[in-house]
Structures are given as C-alpha cells and as structure tokens.
Amino acid sequence: MLVDTERAYRAVAARDARFDGCFILAVRTTRIYCRPSCPAVTPKRRNAEFYPTAAAAQAAGYRACRRCLPDAVPGSPEWNLRADLAARAMRLISDGVVEREGVPGLAARLGYSERHLTRVLTAELGAGPLALARAHRAHSARLLIETTDLSLTEVAFAAGFASVRQFNDTIRSVFAATPSALRAKRSAPGAAGRIVLRLPYRPPFDAAGLLGYFRASAIPGVEHVTDTTYARSLRLPHGQATVILTPAAGYVSCSLRLTDLRDLGSAVNRVRRLLDLDADPRAVDEFLGDDPTLRPLVAARPGVRLPGSVDGAETLLRALGHTSPGEALDVPDGPVTHLYPAPSAIDSPVAAALADGSLVVDVGRDTDDLEAELAAFPGVGPDIARYVVMRVLGAPDVPLHNDNAAWRPWRSYAAMHLRRSA
C-alpha cells in the first residue's frame, strides 16, 4: 500500500478531507502525525512524511495530533477494494481477533505462518500485526476514556491491554498525554449503560437508501427501523449488545449498549462495515455517473452505499430464508428484544457447517475462495454466494444482476443504484 507522496502533499496543502483515513501525515520537526485535513499550518515539503497507517507512524516514533485526532476519521476504502492478505488481515485486526486469539490465531485464520504474515504486513503497511493491534487498542481505549465513567483500570482491561502499566505507556506514547489528561478534556458521557459515539463518513451519504434497505427485510424483535434510525441486537465475541444508529450531517450517531466492554472495538468495526462508512462515494459516483444508463440515477441519489453485515453466518442464513428471531435478550432495549439465532439453533446443512466450523463466513476470507465455496455448497448456489460476498466482505465489484463490464470496478454499487431506482 504505497502512498503517492506528491499527491498526498497536495491533498494536505488543500486540507482535503476526502483523504482522511487514506494515509497519515507525519511532521519531522514536531514528531506529530495528523490527518490530511488537519487545520494546523501545512509543514514544508521537506518536513513531511507519509505513512499508510497510524500504526506505521507510531512505530516510526510519531505521536497523534490532539487537535485533529487522526484516528477519529473514516477508515481507508483500500480494505474493501483490496482482497489480498494485508487487507484481509486488517479487517480481522479491526474486529479484535489479535486481542482474542493472539497473532497465532490471526495467522491461522488467514492460512499463513506468523513469520510470513508479519513480513507481509510490515512491507505493505509499515507495521506488524502486534503494532497494528496496539493502535486498535489505543483507539478503543480513547473512546472509553472520553465516553464512559469507567475507572481507568476498567478501561485498560476493556480495551484489551494486559496490564495497567501497558495501558498507561501506550496512551502516553500514542497521544502524548496521560489517560487522566484525556479524560479531563472529554465531552459529557452518555446515559447510564450506554456508549454514544460519532462515526464519521465521507459525504455524500445516502442514509435513506440504507434505512429503506434494512426496513424491507427487518426481523421484528431483532431489528427496528424508522424513518430516521436503525436499531438491532448484536451477537459479539464476549456477549450480547444492542445498537441504535441515527444518521446526521457528517457522521452517524451510534448508541451502544454492551454486555462486555471488551466488545467495543468489534462492535464499532461491524457497524461501520454494516453502513459502508469507509467508502469513497465521490470516486464511485464520478465513475458510474459517466455511464448514460446510470447518470440520472447517480444524480438523483448520490452517495449510495453497500449494506454490509454484522455477522457473516447471519447474513448467509437470512439469504437462505431463515428469518425468525432467536433467543430473548437478557435485557431488552425497547423494541429490540431478541438476538438472531445462533447457527447451532437452526436445522439445516448450511447452519450445521457454520456451527462446526467447516464453513467460515467472515471478513478474513478471500473473495474468490468464499464465493466458490458457497456457490458449490448444496442449497446455496452462485446468486446467493455473490450476494453474501458483497455484503460480508464489502466487495465493490460483484455482478449481482447485470454483468456489465463497463461498470467495473464498481458493479456492486451499480446494482444498488438499479435496486434503488426500482
């Protein structure tokens, strides 16, 4: 993932927010790293360095800017565009796999040795899996510090740190501030039992299209959709959760209620993927808008997003017609009262394969491999396979209905435009 330094510097000089999350600006003289749109004075070209990830900048000895908060931006759309090892690893790291299973577990999921995985990630992203996971933990910790009343010791372990000392050292290293100093500058915390976050996106954002999509297939009890919000239950690695999502100008308000705070990072990552918040809609719209068939559709509904997935197994089973709610939540959250059933509670060959691990549908899968495996599975077939790949992996170039080569590499988005117009 090489950064075009001249193009990157022009984006920084223009303070172009479209590039926030796509790369990191590091300033040699201050030893601070920033998002491209940081309002600080643009550094001289000779003092500017560029990194593909915050973890790479941290590994080089830079600290996060406390003015522009470079970790609080949309993620790089690279992770959805690319299907290589580095992109698959980043998706799993963001979902908290390293915290739960360690680097050996991450490597096993990807089918490579730890040594090879570390070599590839260091070459591609400027940091190995441990450094990338450390950056992820630091971001989760900052969210908990600034949005909850948890003690700092509770924050440390909820964010995935092995000790309070490791937590303190990491926060000082990354943010050039102590945890207590970050807490002193926080905004008011959310209501008791809730964490309320702002999830940024790159405009434009077709919120109405996503809400309409989710409303059309909502399962009562598991989901609740209004004209302005989408709420649902989540089955996360450490417990149950509920989320209420409310689109606003420049961000989506995300109100989370978690059984176990260790699931914060995973919940935020899954919600971002569900709403396709890391997409670059201008690039998509500019390309598809050149096509005579799609031009009026793009003009009428700019910023169409791909509806994603919070759970690969659920997405596959729902596509196969399993649309009944599962067990009741321990604590209902308004109209959201139930979880979607676990695969082990559904009687079908696909559910049995998901339950015993012989079929894995998650963000770490290779696009072509997953599509081929699903298409060949009895009772699934190629149409459902392509649909699941598009939603679970956020694959942007899946031909769902019309295999028009002129729409590559955005055929998934073209299909969503056609669906919206219908």
Side-chain angles (χ1 to χ4, degrees), residues 8 18 98 106 155 164 182 197 199 273 283 314 378 387 393 400:
R18 291 178 299 171
V98 172
L106 175 67
V155 168
V164 174
L182 289 180
L197 309 171
L199 307 182
R273 296 188 63 80
E314 175 189 322
Y387 168 81
L393 302 184
L400 293 184

Side-chain angles (χ1 to χ4, degrees), residues 50 86 89 94 116 152 155 172 191 196 216 249 277 282 319 330 341 363 387 399:
F50 301 99
S94 296
H116 179 71
L152 295 178
V155 168
R172 273 196 212 93
V196 181
L277 296 184
R282 293 188 185 181
D330 294 339
V363 294
Y387 168 81

Side-chain angles (χ1 to χ4, degrees), residues 185-265:
K185 297 181 178 181
R186 69 176 178 169
S187 56
R194 288 197 178 276
I195 299 173
V196 181
L197 309 171
R198 289 188 173 193
L199 307 182
Y201 58 76
R202 298 178 181 87
F205 181 60
D206 180 28
L210 281 173
L211 291 173
Y213 189 97
F214 295 138
R215 183 186 296 111
S217 59
I219 300 175
V222 176
E223 299 164 287
H224 181 70
V225 189
T226 71
D227 291 340
T228 58
T229 64
Y230 173 65
R232 67 156 295 152
S233 58
L234 301 170
R235 188 186 296 276
L236 297 171
H238 297 290
Q240 304 174 353
T242 58
V243 62
I244 303 171
L245 301 168
T246 307
Y251 67 92
V252 173
S253 175
C254 172
S255 176
L256 280 164
R257 195 177 72 182
L258 302 168
T259 302
D260 191 317
L261 288 170
R262 289 176 294 173
D263 284 327
L264 174 65

Side-chain angles (χ1 to χ4, degrees), residues 93-396:
I93 290 170
S94 296
D95 196 49
V97 167
V98 172
E99 280 76 17
R100 297 192 299 271
E101 303 174 21
V103 176
L106 175 67
R109 281 180 176 243
L110 294 166
Y112 290 89
S113 69
E114 294 178 56
R115 181 177 180 183
H116 179 71
L117 176 62
T118 300
R119 183 167 58 246
V120 169
L121 292 181
T122 302
E124 287 277 327
L125 307 178
L130 284 176
L132 292 165
R134 177 176 179 259
H136 178 259
R137 284 196 297 272
H139 178 52
S140 295
R142 186 177 65 79
L143 291 177
L144 289 169
I145 290 169
E146 295 180 351
T147 61
T148 74
D149 285 321
L150 292 173
S151 72
L152 295 178
T153 298
E154 290 174 311
V155 168
F157 293 109
F161 290 95
S163 68
V164 174
R165 180 177 179 180
Q166 183 190 61
F167 163 68
N168 288 329
D169 290 346
T170 297
I171 296 301
R172 273 196 212 93
S173 173
V174 173
F175 300 111
T178 63
S180 56
L182 289 180
R183 171 150 285 179
K185 297 181 178 181
R186 69 176 178 169
S187 56
R194 288 197 178 276
I195 299 173
V196 181
L197 309 171
R198 289 188 173 193
L199 307 182
Y201 58 76
R202 298 178 181 87
F205 181 60
D206 180 28
L210 281 173
L211 291 173
Y213 189 97
F214 295 138
R215 183 186 296 111
S217 59
I219 300 175
V222 176
E223 299 164 287
H224 181 70
V225 189
T226 71
D227 291 340
T228 58
T229 64
Y230 173 65
R232 67 156 295 152
S233 58
L234 301 170
R235 188 186 296 276
L236 297 171
H238 297 290
Q240 304 174 353
T242 58
V243 62
I244 303 171
L245 301 168
T246 307
Y251 67 92
V252 173
S253 175
C254 172
S255 176
L256 280 164
R257 195 177 72 182
L258 302 168
T259 302
D260 191 317
L261 288 170
R262 289 176 294 173
D263 284 327
L264 174 65
S266 180
V268 169
N269 177 64
R270 293 182 189 203
V271 167
R272 293 197 65 86
R273 296 188 63 80
L274 177 71
L275 303 182
D276 197 16
L277 296 184
D278 295 329
D280 184 353
R282 293 188 185 181
V284 177
D285 288 355
E286 287 174 5
F287 183 88
L288 295 180
D290 286 338
D291 183 274
T293 302
L294 296 177
R295 185 178 300 126
L297 308 184
V298 173
R301 301 181 181 90
V304 163
R305 303 299 172 107
L306 298 182
S309 167
V310 294
D311 185 283
E314 175 189 322
T315 300
L316 172 57
L317 291 169
R318 289 176 68 157
L320 294 172
H322 301 285
T323 56
S324 298
E327 68 265 38
L329 288 170
D330 294 339
V331 181
D333 194 359
V336 179
T337 57
H338 288 71
L339 291 165
Y340 185 78
S344 58
I346 294 176
D347 183 17
S348 80
V350 173
L354 290 165
D356 67 22
S358 57
L359 176 61
V360 176
V361 182
D362 66 18
V363 294
R365 293 297 307 270
D366 174 80
T367 303
D368 293 337
D369 289 349
L370 179 58
E371 182 179 340
E373 184 175 353
L374 290 176
F377 202 100
V380 178
D383 289 342
I384 290 177
R386 287 193 293 268
Y387 168 81
V388 170
V389 164
M390 183 200 76
R391 292 201 60 184
V392 174
L393 302 184

